[in-house]
Amino acid sequence: MDREGKVYTEALTLDYPSVYQISRAANSSEVHVVFAVIERAKALYDALSKQVELSSTVLIEEDSSNIVDLIISQTSKITTTYDMVATGYPEEDMEVTLTARCPKGNGSTCAGLVLGNSGVITVSIKLKRCPPSDKPKKTMFTIHPRDNAKINATIAVNFLCTCQCEEPEVSSARCSGRGTLECGTCACEGGFFGANCSCNMDSEQSNEKCITDSSGAVCSGRGSCVCGKCLCDQFEESGSTHSYCSETLCSESDFSCGPTKDNLCYNHGDCRCGNCTCHPTRTGKFCNCPTATERCYPSGSGDMCSGRGRCECNTCVCDRKDDNFWFFGDTCQYCKDCGDFCTGEYSLMPCLQCEWFNKYKNFKVKETNKEQYCKSRKCHLVTNYTIVTREYINELKDKSSCKATDDTGKCEKEFWYVLLNETAYEVYYIDEDAACTDDNKISEFKLRGYINNPSETNELYKDPVAKMQNPLYGGTASNEL
């Protein structure tokens, strides 16, 4: 600017930065760019914001009266992700592991940080070997985000490769009286082992009890065997420390239940050592099944899965006897090759006994039997009961007939059925009363003398023998017929 601060004097010397230069400079400095513009310029800056990483566009009032609110709101939306690394340490001598505990992320990645949040980075150092004598016994290294070494922490490490030990203590109490304590470690006597010499090889308390499979891995490779029992390792999950389960030889944890770690037991139960304890309304290995069974019953009434299967996860699993005979359908209501429909387990006769209940005068069905007849397995497959004429029956093709008997055993009524397909049938019958054999009426007829002495007891009686003369007959034989 000139001395008065009114005119830009470097217009011919310097050029405006390109969009790429703006984006690179902002990203390298971790600057979040906010374009605060008025309404008529917003579309232009929206397009620009797409080209500049970590930038956004907001509307500002003509008089800039909302500038403070915009700054506060945009600052609160800024989130940061750091992939933490350790550098500068002798990898041949030591191993460094970083574990992030943050709102999001896993391993060494700390994500989801917003203004006011904090994360914790745990540094674990494992000594691989003592440095050679010609190398220093001290070192330093730094931890920092992978792409920004300016934000860092320095850690100093001293290698303690030797220590001054106390005098050896024979039969030390810290070694259960079965070993010598030297430099804080028990040297156990023959036959004993363990950190405190508390385990006896002769008592079968050995590593064999801690091996789960043919691979020979002790405690599933996730722990150590102490006196025949697994002491399992710990691990970080969901922001807290957990350990594998000793009762499963460290093979499972409270995060081992399916289907995924983010959906343990389908959120319908509690996971303990790989096993789900389901809430009262759920069942199944991963609590994925409801305990309800209403969908396993035929509509209206009937047995569960029509008595032809079992109910699992509120769904029928139908019985199957062989490749030629099985049940199917939502409630196992359909049958493949169920056999004779006039007799047997899948007879259609109970269906007609239900249909004709008190419908025909001579066809008697007991009230106590009606419900049983109406629940017959085969009745679910009948699509229609149709009243027809004798002429219709005569013309009906592919029909089969049966006779249903009432509960008295003396009256029967014929019906016909047509197999539409392997899962449906139509039933036809004629609208007329049943044909009955009434032994009581015959007995009464005999008792009243209608058969033995009809002429004496029945005023309407007429002699059935007729006499007539045959004019063509020339003999002398009797003319009685």
Side-chain angles (χ1 to χ4, degrees), residues 469-477:
Q469 186 70 34
N470 184 358
L472 299 179
Y473 180 69
T476 59

Side-chain angles (χ1 to χ4, degrees), residues 25 37 127 172 298 383 445 457:
V37 298
L127 183 64
S172 172
T383 59
F445 196 75
T457 58

Side-chain angles (χ1 to χ4, degrees), residues 154-291:
T154 301
I155 299 175
V157 179
N158 292 325
F159 296 100
L160 299 179
C161 296
T162 60
C163 61
Q164 294 180 351
C165 297
E166 69 277 9
E167 289 294 323
E169 182 181 340
V170 180
S171 300
S172 172
R174 291 175 59 182
C175 301
S176 306
R178 300 163 178 162
T180 300
L181 181 66
E182 187 175 2
C183 289
T185 302
C186 288
C188 303
E189 299 172 358
F192 294 94
F193 66 97
N196 300 316
C197 302
S198 57
C199 303
N200 187 351
M201 289 290 292
D202 296 335
S203 64
E204 298 183 356
Q205 292 178 326
S206 64
N207 283 356
E208 294 180 359
K209 288 189 174 182
C210 298
I211 297 175
T212 57
D213 52 38
S214 58
S215 67
V218 175
C219 299
S220 306
R222 297 170 175 167
S224 55
C225 189
V226 178
C227 295
K229 295 182 179 180
C230 285
L231 182 63
C232 300
D233 295 340
Q234 293 184 332
F235 62 95
E236 295 290 327
E237 186 69 46
S238 300
S240 57
T241 302
H242 305 269
S243 64
Y244 292 99
C245 300
S246 59
E247 49 264 56
T248 64
L249 304 184
C250 308
S251 64
E252 306 288 350
S253 72
D254 292 347
F255 291 87
S256 300
C257 299
T260 64
K261 288 184 178 181
D262 297 327
N263 192 18
L264 296 173
C265 304
Y266 282 98
N267 295 320
H268 292 302
D270 301 314
C271 182
R272 172 60 184 157
C273 296
N275 294 314
C276 289
T277 301
C278 301
H279 298 161
T281 60
R282 309 294 291 189
T283 186
K285 182 178 180 180
F286 299 136
C287 305
N288 52 313
C289 293
T291 55

Side-chain angles (χ1 to χ4, degrees), residues 278-316:
C278 301
H279 298 161
T281 60
R282 309 294 291 189
T283 186
K285 182 178 180 180
F286 299 136
C287 305
N288 52 313
C289 293
T291 55
T293 59
E294 71 275 3
R295 290 193 297 178
C296 291
Y297 286 90
S299 59
S301 62
D303 297 330
M304 178 183 289
C305 298
S306 304
R308 303 165 173 175
R310 64 187 185 278
C311 188
E312 294 182 1
C313 291
N314 206 11
T315 301
C316 283

Side-chain angles (χ1 to χ4, degrees), residues 354-401:
C354 172
E355 172 74 8
W356 293 334
F357 176 72
N358 286 344
K359 185 173 184 178
Y360 294 101
K361 180 179 179 181
N362 290 348
F363 196 89
K364 303 298 183 182
V365 178
K366 295 180 181 179
E367 179 75 36
T368 54
N369 292 341
K370 180 192 176 186
E371 183 177 359
Q372 176 185 348
Y373 295 153
C374 295
K375 285 185 177 180
S376 176
R377 295 182 177 184
K378 202 67 182 177
C379 298
H380 297 294
L381 307 183
V382 178
T383 59
N384 285 303
Y385 295 97
T386 306
I387 298 175
V388 296
T389 63
R390 179 72 62 179
E391 290 75 14
Y392 185 92
I393 291 296
N394 292 337
E395 298 295 329
L396 189 61
K397 295 182 179 180
D398 300 324
K399 62 182 179 292
S400 300
S401 67

Side-chain angles (χ1 to χ4, degrees), residues 353 361-366 373 404-413 434 436:
Q353 289 172 315
K361 180 179 179 181
N362 290 348
F363 196 89
K364 303 298 183 182
V365 178
K366 295 180 181 179
Y373 295 153
T405 305
D406 70 355
D407 285 346
T408 68
K410 299 176 181 179
C411 297
E412 63 181 15
K413 184 170 174 57
C436 302

Side-chain angles (χ1 to χ4, degrees), residues 456-468:
E456 299 178 2
T457 58
N458 188 353
E459 59 185 12
L460 298 179
Y461 173 77
K462 291 184 179 181
D463 193 339
V465 179
K467 296 180 181 181
M468 62 185 66

